[in-house]
Amino acid sequence: MEKRIAAPIDKETVRTLIAGDYVYITGTIYTARDAAHKRMKEALDRSESLPFDIRGQIIYYMGPSPAREGHPIGSAGPTTASRMDRYTPELLDLGLGAMIGKGKRTKEVLDAVVRNQSVYFAAVGGAGALLSKCIRSSEVIAYEDLGTEAIRKLYVEDFPVIVVADCKGNNLYETAIEKYRNA
């Protein structure tokens, strides 16, 4: 099924999403990769606030290439989500609404997705130039010294993703494999 949603995302919207749905996101999302996740974890360990209110937010695991003249961002493809898995359950427990990346997630992350009524989306790897056309603005909001791994606030319009893991425990990577085997 094809759906259009707004970001940040609310629990009511999350509950309507099912693994395999094609989704177009419009609104504010944030980028963060390995180094930014490590810094956020260190801040939490010191009882400090995160650089943005994480509740209901969507984090896109990507590190963009430099913007070309007249564009807000360069190529903006997803990175492998499992690199953030050691940090993700805690962020989900704090209210993170969704993540966008590519690849499989650990059982701990998938359990946290269900426990927190969240969702994991996949963006198409290798399509960074096309995905960047959906990004209308990009602003570094934290950890500027990390360069492409800094946390960015993006405004996106009709950003295309697929629901991989939904809040009911369905996992497209598992169901698609099973469906293929039985075909």
Side-chain angles (χ1 to χ4, degrees), residues 59-86:
I59 292 181
Y60 181 24
Y61 304 141
M62 74 102 185
S65 64
R68 293 174 310 182
E69 179 135 357
H71 297 275
I73 202 162
S75 184
T79 195
T80 304
S82 62
R83 294 181 3 217
M84 274 54 73
D85 282 1
R86 67 180 136 187

Side-chain angles (χ1 to χ4, degrees), residues 78-96:
T79 195
T80 304
S82 62
R83 294 181 3 217
M84 274 54 73
D85 282 1
R86 67 180 136 187
Y87 309 110
T88 301
E90 183 174 8
L91 295 177
L92 288 166
D93 289 343
L94 290 171
L96 178 63

Side-chain angles (χ1 to χ4, degrees), residues 17-60:
L17 301 173
I18 299 167
D21 284 348
Y22 290 92
V23 177
Y24 296 90
I25 302 169
T26 296
T28 298
I29 66 174
Y30 293 86
T31 67
R33 285 182 37 171
D34 317 43
H37 274 74
K38 183 175 186 251
R39 290 243 183 115
M40 287 191 290
K41 172 65 172 146
E42 291 166 351
L44 291 170
D45 289 347
R46 293 187 304 267
S47 298
E48 296 173 4
S49 297
L50 294 176
F52 62 97
D53 182 357
I54 202 161
R55 291 173 293 182
Q57 300 300 337
I58 299 173
I59 292 181
Y60 181 24

Side-chain angles (χ1 to χ4, degrees), residues 95-172:
L96 178 63
M99 304 135 303
I100 304 169
K102 66 179 181 180
K104 293 183 177 185
R105 306 305 298 267
T106 62
K107 180 181 181 342
E108 291 78 17
V109 170
L110 296 173
D111 289 347
V113 164
V114 172
R115 178 174 70 244
N116 293 289
Q117 297 291 284
S118 302
V119 64
Y120 170 51
F121 297 111
V124 178
L130 293 173
L131 292 170
S132 71
K133 292 180 180 187
C134 299
I135 300 171
R136 303 294 181 242
S137 67
S138 171
E139 169 192 4
V140 173
I141 62 157
Y143 315 141
E144 188 169 1
D145 63 302
L146 296 178
T148 59
E149 290 212 24
I151 294 179
R152 293 173 184 269
K153 180 179 179 180
L154 305 179
Y155 185 81
V156 298
E157 287 182 4
D158 293 327
F159 191 86
V161 294
I162 299 168
V163 177
V164 173
D166 65 34
C167 67
K168 297 160 196 74
N170 299 307
N171 181 340
L172 185 62

